[in-house]
Amino acid sequence: MIYFDNSATTKILPEVLSTYETVSQKIWGNPSSLHNFGENAWNLQEQARQQIAKLLGVKPSEIIFTSGGSEGDNWVIKGTAMAKHRFGKHIITTSVEHAAVKNAMEQLKDLGFDITYLPVDKQGRINPADVKAAIRPDTILVSIMAVNNEIGTIQPIKEVGEILKDYPNIHFMVDAVQAIGKGLDDQVFSDRVDFATFSGHKFHAPRGTGFVYFKSGRKLEPLIAGGGQERTLRSGTENTPGNVAMAKAIRLVKENEDSAVKREQAIKERIYDHLSKFDHVKLISGRDEGFASHVLCFAIVGVRGETIVHAFEDKDIYISTTSACSSKKHSEAGTLAAMKVPENVATSAVRISLGDQNTLEEADQFNKTFDELYAGFKKIIE
């Protein structure tokens, strides 16, 4: 089997699963309990928080555990709205955000907030000047993803941060779900970013784990009220085994980050160069430094994306249409529509998303299989 759908989810690492099982079985007390059993769970979870913070170069108090990227996105967006609505109801985001951001914005729109969706160029990238032009006296939040989940575009987070230094009261959020372990920490944690969201299952941790980087001095209202866990910011009994396992997953990913990124880029380029030889193939992702190393979106124009996905599946190779969260809706991808990609290309688009466990040998096997499938598709197209 060749698994090229790592942006949808990653396989939990054996070492991470072992940690999860050990903590679940041996340190299963409630971290909020006063007795020693609870204290042991609390201490272990705080060690996990400290480890994540150290690996990412932030303070332990700035790491807030959540259930994943969707919760983190919703919390920062709605928590900002709740905390700052007296000062304004204008929010700026992009037209290529993940559904967790876009749909949260639309919910706020129904509540009277004004949302500005920034356009993108043919590479799916915003112009930082458009951010500055969109800022108003009542702007309370700017939300921009670090890496696009559909085509891999890296957004100009640092440039936007420089602009927002002149507007210190505006919250700046980055959806960094696709960025961890991809050599992009200097962008995600630039000094003007206030919040960044992460999801554990994107980097070999258990599903249902995640965290928000929450810069000291900023304010959000909690989205989940309850027993006051996570400094009252995210109530609910803590997922101690999940959080500890997630910390281990981050450590393992960070240990091999540089070599993994180089290998992913080499795999991407080998496939990219091969696909560029075919008349009916449209390459949507770029291979330059403006795109992440792990995402490659392309189309065999004239063949629907789901048909391509199932054809590769029959050969035991797993890719996806552009986003796993929307792939079963049979609709034109939001990012490609925002880029004004023609509909016949967008409906043919598929995504390869690489991980640190993929190899160049798998790239060669993919290319060989592509040749076989393309020959059949070409007869249908022509």
Side-chain angles (χ1 to χ4, degrees):
M1 181 187 80
I2 296 175
Y3 184 74
F4 279 174
D5 196 20
N6 290 276
S7 287
T9 196
T10 57
K11 181 180 179 181
I12 187 170
L13 291 173
E15 307 96 311
V16 175
L17 180 58
S18 176
T19 294
Y20 182 88
E21 291 175 338
T22 298
V23 176
S24 295
Q25 293 171 1
K26 295 184 178 181
I27 311 177
W28 44 266
N30 189 322
S32 298
S33 297
L34 294 178
H35 48 64
N36 286 339
F37 205 40
E39 186 79 7
N40 290 338
W42 168 267
N43 289 336
L44 189 62
Q45 182 165 268
E46 291 311 298
Q47 290 173 23
R49 194 189 313 274
Q50 292 169 13
Q51 179 171 300
I52 293 171
K54 184 177 180 180
L55 288 167
L56 299 180
V58 301
K59 302 174 185 175
S61 60
E62 295 177 322
I63 300 297
I64 308 298
F65 292 122
T66 67
S67 66
S70 292
E71 182 192 334
D73 288 340
N74 274 264
W75 175 32
V76 176
I77 293 165
K78 296 172 184 177
T80 293
M82 294 164 67
K84 297 176 74 70
H85 67 92
R86 291 181 296 274
F87 306 103
K89 291 189 173 183
H90 179 234
I91 298 174
I92 300 169
T93 189
T94 82
S95 55
V96 294
E97 296 296 309
H98 187 275
V101 170
K102 188 177 297 182
N103 291 339
M105 296 289 183
E106 288 300 300
Q107 286 184 312
L108 289 182
K109 188 175 180 180
D110 290 340
L111 295 174
F113 286 78
D114 188 10
I115 314 298
T116 295
Y117 292 99
L118 301 175
V120 295
D121 61 19
K122 293 182 179 179
Q123 294 186 316
R125 189 171 293 108
I126 65 163
N127 184 340
D130 289 342
V131 176
K132 186 169 186 178
I135 293 173
R136 307 184 329 206
D138 60 338
T139 302
I140 58 173
L141 171 67
V142 173
S143 177
I144 299 173
M145 66 187 347
V147 175
N148 182 266
N149 55 297
E150 295 179 21
I151 67 168
T153 306
I154 300 172
Q155 296 294 350
I157 301 300
K158 276 191 171 182
E159 291 87 339
V160 173
E162 287 299 314
I163 291 169
L164 291 178
K165 286 180 178 179
D166 293 332
Y167 304 91
N169 293 325
I170 296 176
H171 281 178
F172 184 22
M173 164 190 159
V174 172
D175 178 335
V177 167
Q178 293 292 339
I180 197 156
K182 305 304 177 184
L184 299 172
D185 285 1
D186 63 328
Q187 293 242 22
V188 175
F189 295 104
S190 62
D191 57 1
R192 183 56 184 86
V193 173
D194 299 311
F195 306 97
T197 59
F198 299 86
S199 184
H201 76 103
K202 305 296 187 180
F203 51 86
H204 307 296
R207 296 177 191 183
T209 62
F211 64 95
V212 169
Y213 161 67
F214 187 127
K215 180 183 282 185
S216 298
R218 287 306 198 181
K219 179 175 173 60
L220 290 179
E221 289 297 320
L223 193 62
I224 301 175
Q229 291 86 352
E230 295 296 288
R231 307 202 321 272
T232 74
L233 294 169
R234 199 277 185 182
S235 291
T237 301
E238 299 93 335
N239 180 6
T240 303
N243 294 335
V244 174
M246 178 172 60
K248 185 165 190 174
I250 293 180
R251 177 173 65 79
L252 295 173
V253 166
K254 298 298 286 182
E255 283 177 354
N256 301 302
E257 183 171 16
D258 291 343
S259 60
V261 170
K262 290 178 182 177
R263 185 169 63 257
E264 289 170 2
Q265 185 66 30
I267 295 169
K268 177 180 176 178
E269 291 179 2
R270 184 165 295 185
I271 296 173
Y272 186 102
D273 291 343
H274 187 74
L275 296 179
S276 66
K277 302 172 184 177
F278 295 86
D279 293 339
H280 296 287
V281 171
K282 171 67 176 177
L283 288 156
I284 300 170
S285 300
R287 55 171 285 178
D288 58 56
E289 61 184 13
F291 290 83
S293 61
H294 66 296
V295 180
L296 174 55
C297 180
F298 70 92
I300 304 175
V301 182
V303 183
R304 290 195 63 87
E306 57 264 32
T307 300
I308 300 170
V309 168
H310 290 310
F312 275 100
E313 181 184 7
D314 288 341
K315 302 292 186 179
D316 214 19
I317 298 175
Y318 295 88
I319 62 175
S320 71
T321 50
T322 48
S323 173
C325 296
S326 58
S327 62
K328 292 186 177 180
K329 298 178 182 178
H330 305 291
S331 59
E332 184 182 352
T335 296
L336 303 187
M339 293 166 58
K340 297 181 172 56
V341 173
E343 186 174 358
N344 67 317
V345 177
T347 54
S348 296
V350 294
R351 179 190 69 186
I352 294 169
S353 49
L354 307 169
D356 53 9
Q357 297 183 322
N358 291 127
T359 65
L360 283 167
E361 289 75 19
E362 290 177 329
D364 292 336
Q365 182 60 45
F366 175 90
N367 289 342
K368 181 181 178 181
T369 302
F370 181 88
D371 292 351
E372 298 170 3
L373 295 177
Y374 183 83
F377 288 144
K378 188 176 180 180
K379 292 177 182 177
I380 298 172
I381 295 168
E382 296 180 349

